[in-house]
Amino acid sequence: MSLAEEPVTLKEPVSGRSLWQDALARLARNRAAMASLLILAVMALASILGPALWPHPYDRVYSEYVRVPASLEAYPHEDRIVPEMQRSLARARVDIGAVTVAGDTVRAEISDEEPIDPRMIRYVERSDLFSRVRLAETSADGRSAVLEAEVARLFFIAGTDGNGRDLFARILMAIRISLAIGLLATAVALVIGVTWGATAGYLGGRVDNVMMRIVDILYSLPFIFFVILLVVFFGRNLVLMFIAVGAVEWLDMARIVRGQTLSLKRREFVEAAEALGVSDAGIVRRHIIPNVTGPVAVYMTLLVPKVILLESFLSFLGLGVQEPLTSLGVLISEGAKNMQGASWLLIYPSIALALLLFALNFLGDGLRDALDPKDR
Amino acid sequence: MLAYALKRLLSAVPTLFLIVTISFFLMRVAPGGPFHLERPLEAKVMENLNRLYHLDEPLWRQYFLYLSNLLRGDLGPSFVYRDFTVADLFAAGLPVSIQLGASALALALLIGTFLGCIAALRQNSAADYLVVGIATFGITVPPFVVAPVLSLIFGVSLGWLPAGGWGDGALANKILPVLTLALPQIAIVARLIRGAMIEALRSDHVRTARAYGLPTRIVVAVHALRAAILPVVSYLGPAAAALLTGSIVVETIFGIPGIGRYFVQAALNRDYTLVMGTVVVVSLFVVLFNLVVDLLYAWLDPRVRFNA
């Protein structure tokens, strides 16, 4: 073999890679996980910036456009412009002459027995179809005039809901709320679960028995009951939703952390810390918790979609966020009620939810594979 | 084994007792009551109703009253569904929920096992990716999306099946609810079987069976599946309890008279006895199925022994 003959040369010292660098490298090679990360980034960005940039506010009611189907073409349709102008003018109680449409401008000849009050244009302005309404060519006696208005071209790429609100803007807002609930409730579950599990596992013995027995009992309580009671008791409040859901979901976290802690506390560095006289709380904080980060991170990524699903489920039952705020569950439950005749109300929010959950699940699976030493 | 089962059942008694206690007091802490209607009742009527249902007594006496009734198997009258006892409501609803849940469970086991085996035998092939894709879809798309979409497609657009309703248990009315219930379970079972089967196919006893020249289908169906089904069994315990006690979403969307829908309705109406009854029934199912799982586990895996 040539190995023995080659002179041993000292290369640059190889810098070690930490567990996390290894894991990230593995994650970067996982195409499904990276695609999910991209989708998630796009959805998160769209939900944060989108409502501010999108032309329709999520709670703006377009009363002329109730339940219009999703379309890439601009509203209004051409055949609606003239009747709508006549309807608005009829409300203003003026006599209507010819109404003509030229490009984006509508001209209507109007006359009245009294001189025309220029304030009557409010009747036309009020409609969602017209903008920049003005009176042109008022006759000398003020009894006839030509009213000019621009046709407001509006796009509803996902249609509008039963109140005439733009569905796409509402979906953006719903993604924001769902993601926020997912992240915050997970954070609540994380704090309670890690503290509880680490304490139980580290102290062991009778304390451990009692603490884990409590977890077992809470586990066998029907969780929905808990959440419903919390929601009923404290009113439907967004912050409370986070806490309620987080307070239910910490049980698994506590179990995972306890299991890890039990194996960690026999290790030398913990014994060393004990020998040095570090307090129990200090050991848990400085040595136990940092070392359970891996499994906890994996569980967290899988908990976020679970919480989003749970929140949607509560919203579906009518226990979730309140109007005009919205979440994906609220939109889907609305859609389910309107699915005959307005199927876009069900389809688009469902796609958004499915996409979000898909991406989160794939990312969680990818992270688990990346951190799982069995796979190396 | 009998001694073990009995011991397990006895050890569940304190757990059940705690669950009942916690639920009872949590329910009572919440503001409002079963007779706080939008149009307030007359003071005299209210007083009589409260006396009739013992709501005027101190909480601890009501608690002991409930416990002693429960021990005699009496779940009490429903507060909101007048003229019905909680036991009546369950007698009418539970068979419906159990029928749907059991059918969904059986379907999920059959299809899930089949798909999981195929995926494991052809690991990293197109069939495998298809199964994993279906499984991910089944897990991520929630039943409250699946149910209306199914009912939209098969009930409204195609008109093949009724879009909802129970129809006195006609087969056509059961298909969509069972499908909706089974889909996520199929997905989970397929994933679990796939993972466990891949490991089982590499294990020594399967290699030995192959070396004896047994055909693949016997090796898979008899030798590998016995090991691969273990994680499914432990998953199915709580899942079966949840399925058999009815699903709120499916029962609401398809309008099915099971007991799943009582839970939310009863909690919102402060129908104290009905909520407590649901909690008791659900917990009983959980305890029972956990026991069944442990017994099944030991039967399937001779390495597990009861340490009674």
Side-chain angles (χ1 to χ4, degrees):
Chain A
M1 294 295 280
S2 59
L3 259 180
E5 293 154 21
E6 267 179 28
V8 180
T9 49
L10 279 177
K11 290 184 189 149
E12 288 284 303
V14 184
S15 63
R17 276 183 307 175
S18 74
L19 169 79
W20 284 96
Q21 282 166 329
D22 258 359
L24 281 181
R26 265 196 298 273
L27 190 65
R29 280 201 302 274
N30 185 337
R31 258 180 289 165
M34 289 324 277
S36 303
L37 200 62
L38 191 71
I39 292 175
L40 273 183
V42 169
M43 285 182 99
L45 213 63
S47 74
I48 294 166
L49 301 177
L53 299 178
W54 192 248
H56 309 296
Y58 75 97
D59 52 356
R60 162 87 195 267
V61 172
Y62 294 95
S63 44
E64 320 290 331
Y65 298 111
V66 171
R67 281 221 225 174
V68 297
S71 160
L72 290 176
E73 278 170 37
Y75 284 96
H77 293 308
E78 292 302 323
D79 56 349
R80 260 198 74 189
I81 297 174
V82 173
E84 182 63 30
M85 178 57 95
Q86 284 167 340
R87 212 165 60 90
S88 305
L89 290 173
R91 280 207 195 121
R93 294 171 197 281
V94 291
D95 295 322
I96 309 156
V99 178
T100 51
V101 184
D104 274 353
T105 317
V106 194
R107 290 169 61 87
E109 293 167 11
I110 52 175
S111 57
D112 200 1
E113 284 125 36
E114 303 284 307
I116 290 171
D117 185 344
R119 285 176 299 182
M120 58 77 58
I121 61 167
R122 299 282 307 146
Y123 284 101
V124 182
E125 270 176 347
R126 202 180 286 157
S127 165
D128 295 320
L129 269 68
F130 308 111
S131 66
R132 296 182 49 209
V133 186
R134 59 205 174 267
L135 275 179
E137 302 171 26
T138 314
S139 67
D141 58 359
R143 292 201 180 137
S144 63
V146 172
L147 183 134
E148 280 186 349
E150 305 287 321
V151 178
R153 303 281 175 188
L154 297 173
F155 289 89
F156 297 110
I157 58 167
T160 61
D161 69 1
N163 291 324
R165 292 172 295 194
D166 179 42
L167 188 61
F168 192 77
R170 292 187 71 68
I171 290 177
L172 288 179
M173 199 62 199
I175 294 175
R176 181 196 283 188
I177 298 287
S178 290
L179 269 179
I181 291 181
L183 291 175
L184 283 175
T186 303
V188 172
L190 185 76
V191 171
I192 306 179
V194 171
T195 318
W196 193 275
T199 312
Y202 182 73
L203 294 180
R206 195 171 293 162
V207 181
D208 179 31
N209 260 336
V210 171
M211 286 175 89
M212 291 326 278
R213 209 65 235 260
I214 292 175
V215 170
D216 284 346
I217 289 168
L218 291 179
Y219 220 81
S220 44
L221 260 185
F223 78 92
I224 260 292
F225 174 76
F226 251 149
V227 178
I228 289 172
L229 274 187
L230 280 171
V231 171
V232 167
F233 190 22
F234 296 101
R236 295 178 212 173
N237 168 331
L238 203 58
V239 178
L240 206 99
M241 289 279 301
F242 303 147
I243 297 173
V245 175
V248 168
E249 293 292 341
W250 63 274
L251 301 170
D252 282 315
M253 189 76 91
R255 284 186 168 174
I256 292 169
V257 173
R258 171 179 171 270
Q260 293 285 318
T261 311
L262 281 181
S263 68
L264 277 174
K265 77 171 178 183
R266 300 261 168 270
R267 304 275 284 274
E268 289 83 350
F269 62 90
V270 175
E271 280 171 12
E274 258 167 17
L276 286 172
V278 182
S279 70
D280 282 350
I283 291 178
V284 168
R285 208 171 51 240
R286 294 282 295 282
H287 297 287
I288 304 286
I289 289 180
N291 276 298
V292 297
T293 327
V296 166
V298 171
Y299 182 69
M300 245 179 77
T301 30
L302 293 174
L303 187 58
V304 175
K306 219 171 133 190
V307 170
I308 291 179
L309 207 56
L310 180 56
E311 184 278 328
S312 305
F313 172 66
L314 285 175
S315 295
F316 183 83
L317 295 179
L319 299 171
V321 295
Q322 292 278 297
E323 292 280 339
L325 262 190
T326 188
S327 78
L328 289 169
V330 176
L331 290 181
I332 289 170
S333 97
E334 290 274 298
K337 281 178 207 142
N338 290 310
M339 65 181 174
Q340 299 190 36
S343 51
W344 63 91
L345 285 179
L346 175 64
I347 292 169
Y348 294 109
S350 303
I351 290 176
L353 180 67
L355 206 60
L356 190 64
L357 295 178
F358 254 106
L360 281 167
N361 272 315
F362 270 118
L363 187 64
D365 282 349
L367 201 61
R368 181 173 51 201
D369 291 346
L371 279 168
D372 192 353
K374 254 202 288 186
D375 215 36
R376 260 176 228 172
Chain B
M1 197 179 100
L2 196 68
Y4 173 77
L6 275 177
K7 198 182 161 185
R8 278 288 307 270
L9 279 180
L10 274 181
S11 77
V13 170
T15 314
L16 281 177
F17 168 75
L18 268 171
I19 290 174
V20 168
T21 309
I22 294 173
S23 318
F24 185 90
F25 287 105
L26 256 181
M27 187 79 212
R28 292 308 175 87
V29 166
F35 307 119
H36 289 236
L37 308 177
E38 277 182 27
R39 214 158 46 99
L41 294 169
E42 268 178 58
K44 191 69 194 164
V45 177
M46 192 77 167
E47 200 181 298
N48 286 338
L49 275 173
N50 279 342
R51 193 163 52 232
L52 185 63
Y53 290 103
H54 303 285
L55 287 177
D56 54 345
E57 290 180 34
L59 200 53
W60 62 269
R61 290 222 22 204
Q62 292 183 41
Y63 172 64
F64 283 114
L65 198 67
Y66 185 79
L67 271 190
S68 64
N69 282 340
L70 190 62
L71 284 180
R72 275 183 271 120
D74 179 9
L75 290 169
S78 167
F79 283 44
V80 174
Y81 301 91
R82 307 279 163 75
D83 304 334
F84 288 99
T85 64
V86 173
D88 287 340
L89 291 173
F90 285 165
L94 202 54
V96 173
S97 293
I98 288 182
Q99 253 184 55
L100 288 185
S103 320
L105 208 61
L107 193 71
L109 259 180
L110 271 179
I111 300 182
T113 310
F114 181 69
L115 289 180
C117 286
I118 286 183
L121 285 173
R122 294 181 174 57
Q123 203 190 347
N124 293 330
S125 72
D128 182 22
Y129 290 136
L130 189 70
V131 169
V132 173
I134 293 175
T136 316
F137 180 83
I139 292 170
T140 46
V141 180
F144 54 85
V145 172
V146 174
V149 168
L150 279 182
S151 132
L152 182 66
I153 296 174
F154 294 103
V156 180
S157 304
L158 297 175
W160 291 350
L161 296 166
W166 179 235
D168 284 330
L171 183 67
N173 289 67
K174 287 181 198 160
I175 294 176
L176 290 183
V178 168
L179 262 183
T180 313
L181 282 174
L183 190 69
Q185 311 300 331
I186 291 175
I188 294 172
V189 170
R191 263 172 84 133
L192 287 175
I193 289 270
R194 177 183 173 272
M197 186 59 110
I198 288 173
E199 233 165 79
L201 285 176
R202 290 188 195 136
S203 64
D204 291 339
H205 74 276
V206 169
R207 197 172 298 133
T208 311
R210 280 215 168 121
Y212 278 137
L214 292 178
T216 310
R217 76 196 136 76
I218 300 283
V219 173
V220 171
V222 178
H223 299 271
L225 198 58
R226 185 160 173 170
I229 205 104
L230 288 176
V232 178
V233 169
S234 52
Y235 162 75
L236 277 186
L243 273 178
L244 296 182
T245 49
S247 146
I248 301 167
V249 170
V250 169
E251 290 183 6
T252 312
I253 293 178
F254 290 110
I256 287 164
I259 67 164
R261 71 216 153 96
Y262 285 143
F263 202 83
V264 176
Q265 277 174 19
L268 287 175
N269 292 336
R270 307 290 191 286
D271 193 341
Y272 295 142
T273 42
L274 188 52
V275 170
M276 293 304 300
T278 321
V279 170
V280 169
V281 168
V282 172
S283 321
L284 267 180
F285 268 81
V286 170
V287 166
L288 213 65
F289 275 90
N290 279 336
L291 177 64
V292 171
V293 162
D294 283 352
L295 296 181
L296 257 183
Y297 216 89
W299 178 65
L300 282 168
D301 187 349
R303 286 168 300 184
V304 176
R305 284 279 157 260
F306 306 116
N307 26 2

